[in-house]
Amino acid sequence: MGNMSPISRQARGAVRPFGICIVVGTTATGFDVDNSLGDLIYTNSDLWTGDVPSGHPDGGLGSPRKQYYWEAFPTGASSTERTTYLFTYMDAAAERPTVEQQLEDYWDLLPTYQRHNAKAFANGKSVEEAVASGEIQLKRVLYGCFPTYKDSPLPPPAARVLAVGDASGIQSPLSFGGFGALTRHLRRIADAVVEAIDQGALAREDLAAVNAYLPNQAATWMFQRAMMVPIGDQRPADFVNRLLRTNFQIMSDLGPEVLKPFNQDVVQPRPLSRVLVEAVKRDPLNTPLLVYHIGPLLLADWLSHFSAMLAFDLAHHALGPAVRAAAASLEEAGDGRAAFRLRRLAEQWEFGSGQDYKLDMR
């Protein structure tokens, strides 16, 4: 049931989501110029602004300001059928635009984004004109509002209760991809559940070891905060694009062992360190600007998670095999619950530092 799970909602109580991703889009035919490639995180504009009520904190800037991102890919159903998404990151402030308002922006901005893919848009037609002429045929309209919580993964609220997938909060605050995170953790969680049942490790504190703290997930909150704009914030209009351009170019230059894990929602401390050092070298003036707009509290919080990532990486390589061997010995001696806890600790080190990821160059 994902984020709408009654048990998860009850466990979180009145806590407001720390981040929200609004996604709108369509699947349509008529992309008859080029429908061979897709986009993952694509921007073709700086911070987006619009009309706001008088007296609003962003009144002099437009908006509330937000950075729009695009995603697109051919569906494979036909040679001209394509899915396009427009998404943005925000907090849960009441002043934020609605899904309907973002969908209106999508209709206005889509022709510019897809002018190289559809002849109708290349000829300057709006979505309404292209649909009326039959050149673009809408198959479905898609939309969603995805919340994430900083206090994630969600600890078990009671014995014999374990949240998985979106309900547990084990998802990236960047991609909001609960399904991808679930597939990455599926074997780990499935094995843990089987072992918990076999060993009777079903107490709340036992199951808490399954959904334990993951510093690489926690560290991605700073990245998400860098890609959204707080209400009333006056950062430069090109702030996000400058940051993305620099860091993705660096990751591309450093090779697939750096770029591919990040694109698949796996943050690893050593590759991240290389990117950060290179970013300071290539764009030193942007570093103090980033620190200023992120703020000292969030930066200090991120540094604690980054330090934990490094410690988890070290523990995984230095102590992981010994801890797993000790778990096997304890199980043979009849102490299954202690063995269960040790295996979960070794997995926490492994997954919390991204060392579970195996690079596939195919």
Side-chain angles (χ1 to χ4, degrees):
M1 299 180 70
N3 286 298
M4 298 305 292
S5 162
I7 296 176
S8 293
R9 294 178 70 182
Q10 184 179 15
R12 294 198 183 276
V15 175
R16 176 180 289 190
F18 193 71
I20 291 176
C21 181
I22 291 183
V23 183
V24 299
T26 61
T27 296
T29 60
F31 295 88
D32 48 5
V33 176
D34 183 5
N35 192 31
S36 59
L37 300 174
D39 296 320
L40 181 60
I41 300 177
Y42 181 92
T43 67
N44 60 354
S45 64
D46 288 331
L47 297 185
W48 179 255
T49 58
D51 296 330
V52 295
S54 60
H56 190 278
D58 282 330
L61 303 169
S63 187
R65 303 170 92 205
K66 51 196 169 292
Q67 178 67 57
Y68 274 145
Y69 307 89
W70 292 96
E71 180 178 348
F73 49 88
T75 65
S78 74
S79 60
T80 69
E81 187 169 297
R82 190 170 181 84
T83 295
T84 53
Y85 292 122
L86 177 70
F87 64 97
T88 191
Y89 304 110
M90 61 181 69
D91 53 31
E95 299 93 334
R96 292 297 184 180
T98 64
V99 175
E100 182 181 7
Q101 288 170 320
Q102 184 165 316
L103 188 57
E104 291 297 330
D105 287 343
Y106 170 84
W107 301 127
D108 293 337
L109 299 173
L110 181 64
T112 299
Y113 170 48
Q114 291 291 287
R115 65 184 183 276
H116 300 300
N117 303 84
K119 190 181 298 181
F121 297 148
N123 291 334
K125 291 185 177 180
S126 66
V127 174
E128 292 84 350
E129 292 168 338
V131 170
S133 68
E135 294 170 271
I136 296 291
Q137 295 185 354
L138 297 177
K139 298 295 185 180
R140 61 182 62 88
V141 176
L142 313 162
Y143 57 90
C145 179
F146 303 96
T148 56
Y149 296 84
K150 207 171 181 184
D151 182 19
S152 294
L154 179 66
R160 299 177 179 269
V161 176
L162 180 68
V164 297
D166 282 2
S168 70
I170 300 181
Q171 63 194 90
S172 166
L174 286 179
S175 73
F176 286 70
F179 179 76
L182 177 60
T183 57
R184 176 187 164 208
H185 290 270
L186 188 59
R187 175 61 64 85
R188 174 183 72 83
I189 293 174
D191 290 347
V193 168
V194 170
E195 187 176 354
I197 294 172
D198 289 344
Q199 302 298 341
L202 300 172
R204 180 179 180 180
E205 57 270 20
D206 292 325
L207 297 179
V210 180
N211 279 350
Y213 164 67
L214 301 173
N216 56 351
Q217 178 187 353
T220 55
W221 275 110
M222 193 188 76
F223 307 148
Q224 195 259 16
R225 274 304 192 248
M227 294 169 68
M228 63 152 283
V229 187
I231 297 290
D233 187 276
Q234 299 193 32
R235 64 188 63 186
D238 67 343
F239 177 84
V240 175
N241 279 328
R242 179 179 177 180
L243 187 66
L244 289 175
R245 183 168 55 248
T246 300
N247 285 281
F248 272 97
Q249 184 61 60
I250 290 170
M251 288 190 287
S252 179
D253 292 344
L254 292 176
E257 67 274 13
V258 174
L259 179 61
K260 198 168 182 179
F262 184 84
N263 282 344
Q264 294 178 336
D265 284 339
V266 180
V267 178
Q268 301 170 312
R270 284 170 288 163
L272 179 58
S273 299
R274 295 171 64 190
V275 173
L276 294 175
V277 170
E278 193 65 27
V280 173
K281 290 180 181 178
R282 295 194 189 186
D283 196 359
L285 296 180
N286 197 44
T287 301
L289 190 66
L290 176 63
V291 172
Y292 173 77
H293 286 291
I294 290 297
L297 293 180
L298 188 59
L299 180 62
D301 182 61
W302 178 82
L303 287 172
S304 69
H305 298 309
F306 180 68
S307 299
M309 261 199 293
L310 291 170
F312 276 37
D313 190 359
L314 177 62
H316 167 68
H317 288 96
L319 303 175
V323 167
R324 285 185 164 91
S329 298
L330 285 170
E331 188 172 16
E332 290 177 4
D335 195 348
R337 288 188 66 184
F340 173 85
R341 292 285 194 92
L342 279 184
R343 288 195 182 96
R344 304 295 80 77
L345 177 62
E347 291 171 351
Q348 183 185 12
W349 292 339
E350 181 182 8
F351 281 78
S353 59
Q355 301 309 301
D356 60 294
Y357 181 83
K358 301 297 185 289
L359 181 64
D360 186 351
M361 296 300 294
R362 288 178 295 178

